[in-house]
């Protein structure tokens, strides 16, 4: 059964009434990039020169001699975007390159480290491409000349740190490679940083986004040889970059990414004046790991370089130990508390979720089997959900090694529906358990399991279907499979409230709480694992008799892995992220049209066990 979701920002989606040719909002003049009432892209006009409009540049991009100027503007007059203006005649960009870039943006937009595309427009002189608005590029962030000019630069450096910048950049490029594209133009300017999930002034999150696909080429898997042509920007080249007859190979990107690693590490070292040590590296062991990794990436021969997936699985990006969830010495301590919010019924009875109790029961059985205490809340209004979370965050978790919070409901992106028909932002709830709000959970894993739709899109054997397309197609011919259509959501997004962390602790207080050693090495928002039933923009599915495919597959896989003693070969049980990969396989066996998504901000491995003493 498809859960409730939000309308995504699709090209052509009539989110608001058609705007006028020129609008003024709070004295800000917005002009369409082309004539016509159907234009959906608007630049911010700062005045006119020789009767030609001048537009507001994005502040962190250079204006002079920029062949692809980037303006701040709006999609549909209300969604902030970055607008790249391309002059096909004078920029040296061919129509083929523009078409190729648009094809990649449209085809590969659904990834957390890939720039999000909205729309493109054309007039008689220019092509305009609108993507999500970011704060800065990695080059801007690390440029001493721009110090003090980049919004929240210090906070970005503090929260992302070198390892996370490198991991996310690699993750975005790996997504490109997984879809058989070679970027060929890796450099710090082509990794942007976007602010996401903001709560107040001090708790914010940032994502690194790969962009600029002018030189990107697609691998033809049916050709044994494929010429790459010369590529890359000056100073950011692999040894084979200038060999026009060299075969197209993803390992070209790996070499240049190795140069990017070196650039980030050295630039941040200088920024922090860290006595010559690599930045944010807590031990000599990690420094040795990243140096060895870069040596492999910078091998002269392509065949000797690792793949991006091998790089992401390198020990440099892996935690070095497990969280201490189980305490064998103190029998009074529990491995964790599992709190389940089961939203089965709603004020509007048409939205009731048959099958939700089956998920509730499965979660209780599974986590009780792992030694957890469990609590269940049912059919709460939005105020009550927030109140219960706030009360939970005020609790004492000294006798618990972990917290698991499960939300079973309808939803839109990053929000769940409550009994009274109002949505609650799940990130706002999650960040109630930061260091400032819940110090007794700091350094312990906080796992959020969210069973809800995040949009209207649906996967099919031939691609992606919108809500309208899904209503027109026939349902799959599977026995006892019951699906319903989405109902129109009240809005496209739910904004976080502007509440700051309630308390800041002094060093002495942290020492008394016995978390100072951990706090001085890690940011206040840490040790979170968020597991979503589906991708942003997509539906999830529920069987009215057996529960949701995601929760049932999750509980089945956890039971299989942890319900018993250690494996016969004497090794440890699999860590939780490894288990989640198997959960996806189990979902595929039920109905291969749903992709789960998890986001990890962890410093160690999460490893459960069922054989509690």
């Amino acid at each position: 059964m498809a859960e409730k979701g939000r309308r995504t920002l699709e090209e052509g989606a009539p989110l608001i009434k058609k705007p006028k040719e020129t609008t003024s909002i709070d004295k800000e003049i917005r002009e369409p990039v082309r004539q016509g009432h159907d234009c959906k892209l608007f630049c911010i006009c700062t005045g006119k020169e020789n009767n030609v409009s001048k537009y507001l540049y994005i502040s962190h991009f250079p204006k002079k001699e920029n062949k692809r100027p980037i303006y701040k503007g709006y999609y549909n007059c209300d969604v902030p975007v970055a607008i790249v203006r391309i002059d096909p005649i004078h920029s040296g960009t061919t129509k083929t390159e523009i078409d190729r870039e648009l094809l990649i943006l449209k085809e590969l937009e659904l990834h957390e480290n890939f720039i999000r595309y909205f729309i493109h427009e054309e007039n008689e002189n220019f092509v305009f491409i609108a993507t999500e608005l970011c704060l800065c590029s990695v080059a801007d962030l690390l440029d001493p000349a721009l110090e003090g000019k980049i919004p929240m630069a210090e906070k970005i450096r503090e929260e992302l740190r070198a390892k996370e910048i490198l991991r996310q950049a690699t993750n975005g490029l790996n997504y490109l490679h997984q879809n058989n594209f070679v970027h060929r133009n890796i450099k710090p300017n082509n990794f942007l940083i976007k602010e996401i999930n903001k709560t107040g002034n001090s708790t914010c999150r940032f994502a690194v986004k790969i962009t600029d696909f002018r030189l990107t080429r697609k691998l033809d898997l049916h050709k044994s040889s494929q010429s790459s042509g010369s590529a890359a920007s000056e100073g950011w080249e692999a040894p084979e970059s200038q060999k026009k007859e060299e075969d197209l190979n993803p390992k070209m990107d790996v070499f240049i990414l190795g140069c990017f690693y070196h650039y980030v590490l050295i630039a941040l070292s200088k920024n922090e004046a860290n006595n010559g040590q690599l930045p944010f590296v807590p031990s000599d062991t990690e420094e040795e790991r990243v140096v060895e990794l870069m040596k492999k990436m910078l091998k002269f021969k392509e065949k000797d370089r690792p793949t991006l997936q091998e790089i992401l699985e390198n020990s440099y990006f892996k935690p070095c130990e497990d969280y201490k969830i189980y305490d064998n010495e103190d029998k009074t301590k529990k491995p964790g508390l599992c709190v389940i919010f089961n939203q089965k019924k709603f004020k509007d009875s048409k939205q009731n979720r048959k099958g939700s109790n089956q998920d509730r029961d499965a979660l209780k059985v599974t986590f009780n089997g792992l030694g957890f205490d469990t609590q269940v809340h049912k059919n709460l209004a939005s105020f009550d959900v927030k109140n219960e979370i706030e009360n939970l965050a005020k609790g004492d978790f000294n006798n618990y090694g972990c917290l698991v919070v499960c939300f079973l409901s309808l939803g839109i992106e990053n929000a769940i529906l409550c009994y009274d028909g109002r949505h609650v932002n799940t990130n706002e709830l999650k960040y109630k358990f930061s260091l400032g709000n819940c110090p007794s959970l700091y350094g312990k894993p906080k796992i959020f399991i969210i069973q809800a739709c995040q949009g209207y899109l649906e996967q099919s054997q031939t691609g992606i279907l919108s809500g309208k397309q899904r209503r027109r197609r026939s349902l799959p011919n599977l026995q006892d499979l019951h699906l319903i259509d989405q109902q129109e959501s009240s809005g496209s997004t739910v904004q976080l409230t502007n509440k700051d962390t309630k308390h800041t602790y002094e060093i002495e207080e942290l020492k008394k709480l016995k978390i100072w050693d951990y706090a001085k090495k890690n940011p206040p928002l840490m040790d979170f694992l968020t597991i979503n039933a589906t991708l942003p923009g997509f539906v999830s599915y529920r069987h009215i008799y057996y529960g949701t495919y995601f929760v049932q597959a999750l509980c089945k896989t956890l039971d299989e892995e942890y319900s018993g003693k250690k494996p016969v070969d004497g090794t440890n049980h699999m860590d939780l992220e490894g288990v989640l990969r198997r959960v996806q396989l189990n979902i595929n066996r039920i109905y291969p049209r749903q992709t789960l998504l998890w986001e990890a901000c962890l410093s160690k491995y999460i490893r459960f066990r069922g054989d509690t003493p």
Side-chain angles (χ1 to χ4, degrees), residues 71-88:
Y71 303 109
K72 182 178 179 181
Y74 294 89
Y75 167 62
N76 261 355
C77 215
D78 66 342
V79 179
V81 292
I83 301 176
V84 180
R85 190 193 73 185
I86 304 172
D87 183 345

Side-chain angles (χ1 to χ4, degrees), residues 51-52 142 306-307 347 442 520 597:
N51 206 31
V52 177
L142 303 181
T307 65
K347 190 174 181 179
Y442 191 63
K520 65 184 179 182
L597 175 71

